[in-house]
Amino acid sequence: MSLTTKFLGRTYASPIMNAAGIRCTTTVELDQLRQSSAGTFVTKTATLNPRSGNAGKRLAALPNGSINSMGLPNEGIDYYLDYLTNLPDHGHDAFLSVAGFSEGDQLAVLSKIAASDFAGIVELNLSCPNIVGHPQLAYDFEATDALLAKVFAQFGQLELGVKLPPFFDPVHFDQIAAVLNKYPIKYINSINSLGNGFFINPDTDAPMIEPKSGFGGIGGGYAKPTALANVRAMRERLRDDIAIIGTGGVQNGRDAYDLILCGASMVQVATLLGEEGIAAFDHLNAQLQTVLTAKGYPNAEAAVGQLVTNVKH
Ligand code: RRO
């Protein structure tokens, strides 16, 4: 049984990797990811200029997951492009996550990538929940359509995917899928954290985190059923040539397998990786291998989308 996975013409030793934002902000962290047993890695979402992010305590562990309002702290697009383009493969096997605060910003970040030697995959983060005054773009279907029209008109040569927020209604699944199906998107990544949740610290009766009066993105176990729903719903609606990365609530190999059954070709790990560090990949790879072997699959790819649809009582 091999975990070897093909994705966008690349071959990875495992389908499991970090999610953007988790242990991937500095070159030291990126080196650690490269040396780990993760199949590949994605950078922290990069903006045109470096950002220190939201002030105060901005990440907390919860009983079954996490809450964060980081506010997009990152070293800026030039830093990540410099790191990636100096790798032996010019970052061919890596993912570069990017975001902008306006259409102009987003396009400026992409022009920098297009003008560089970066040979990898670009992930447009349309779903950051934690920037004051900036709603998650993908919840505005018209604005998403308008941005993607410009992006693909100008940067059609880039290999582009999009990071989506969770959707909660079949009509919204239909609407976002209809927009995405219009463009030569290579993949979607579902889901980003459950935006603007709230959790009270029982010791203090105050919110767990400081920015935005305590509202923040929820990840970990709380996110798993919503992640499975989004991967499944999008697989049912997207063009076959649009691949899916599944993210949300992966705590063990079975969780990764469930996302794969719903249609994910790759699986990303956020909260668990934040808590456990890169040793999490060793455990998850071993556990995923055990599940796939027990279920009789020769490799991870063979299980993609193999959800059994007749409910057995
Ligand atoms: O930096 C953040 O606050 C953040 C981002 Br950009 C994101 O996409 N998802 C998230 O949970 N936090």
Side-chain angles (χ1 to χ4, degrees):
M1 222 304 294
S2 150
L3 290 181
T4 302
T5 297
K6 287 211 174 66
F7 189 80
L8 305 193
R10 281 101 174 145
T11 303
Y12 299 123
S14 164
I16 298 177
M17 61 185 288
N18 70 303
I22 315 301
R23 296 183 184 268
C24 57
T25 300
T26 65
T27 56
V28 171
E29 291 174 326
L30 292 167
D31 281 342
Q32 286 168 352
L33 284 171
R34 282 175 52 229
Q35 286 150 20
S36 77
S37 63
T40 182
F41 67 95
V42 56
T43 66
K44 171 66 184 170
T45 300
T47 49
L48 201 49
N49 298 306
R51 291 171 52 86
S52 51
N54 294 336
K57 182 171 172 55
R58 56 194 189 177
L59 170 65
L62 304 182
N64 194 25
S66 62
I67 185 165
N68 88 84
S69 184
M70 303 301 288
L72 245 175
N74 77 95
E75 303 288 342
I77 185 65
D78 292 344
Y79 176 94
Y80 298 102
L81 274 180
D82 184 55
Y83 177 81
L84 293 165
T85 56
N86 280 300
L87 295 176
D89 68 351
H90 297 281
H92 177 265
D93 288 352
F95 291 71
L96 169 57
S97 172
V98 297
F101 295 111
S102 64
E103 217 172 68
D105 239 36
Q106 185 75 262
L107 297 172
V109 171
L110 292 173
S111 326
K112 284 199 175 230
I113 299 172
S116 78
D117 285 339
F118 178 59
I121 301 162
V122 180
E123 180 165 293
L124 293 183
N125 184 352
L126 304 180
S127 49
C128 178
N130 300 327
I131 310 299
V132 176
H134 292 273
Q136 292 159 86
L137 187 75
Y139 285 145
D140 183 335
F141 302 117
E142 277 177 26
T144 299
D145 197 352
L147 175 67
L148 293 179
K150 291 207 171 114
V151 164
F152 284 100
Q154 291 182 41
F155 305 106
Q157 78 278 23
L158 296 176
E159 293 182 273
L160 286 165
V162 293
K163 180 80 173 270
L164 296 176
F167 296 96
F168 301 94
D169 192 287
V171 171
H172 296 158
F173 291 138
D174 291 345
Q175 287 174 325
I176 190 68
V179 170
L180 298 173
N181 279 333
K182 288 169 65 176
Y183 299 100
I185 284 166
K186 300 284 186 194
Y187 75 95
I188 63 145
N189 185 344
S190 283
I191 55 172
N192 206 320
S193 50
L194 309 176
N196 296 294
F198 200 82
F199 205 94
I200 297 170
N201 182 339
D203 296 329
T204 62
D205 292 353
M208 296 294 291
I209 54 171
E210 292 181 71
K212 289 182 68 180
S213 313
F215 290 84
I218 305 292
Y222 303 110
K224 181 179 165 181
T226 305
L228 292 179
N230 276 260
V231 170
R232 172 81 177 133
M234 296 309 283
R235 185 64 289 157
E236 291 177 314
R237 289 164 172 81
L238 292 176
R239 289 196 323 262
D240 285 350
D241 65 310
I242 301 180
I244 299 183
I245 298 180
T247 305
V250 172
Q251 287 160 305
N252 56 51
R254 176 71 213 201
D255 297 329
Y257 177 66
D258 287 349
L259 284 165
I260 291 169
L261 286 180
C262 286
S265 301
M266 304 278 292
V267 171
Q268 297 188 341
V269 190
T271 298
L272 178 77
L273 175 60
E275 286 170 1
E276 213 177 286
I278 54 171
F281 294 118
D282 299 338
H283 310 149
L284 290 171
N285 284 336
Q287 292 164 2
L288 179 58
Q289 205 146 14
T290 302
V291 182
L292 289 167
T293 304
K295 297 287 181 177
Y297 288 107
N299 52 55
E301 248 173 312
V304 174
Q306 295 304 308
L307 182 73
V308 175
T309 52
N310 57 325
V311 175
K312 294 177 180 134
H313 300 283

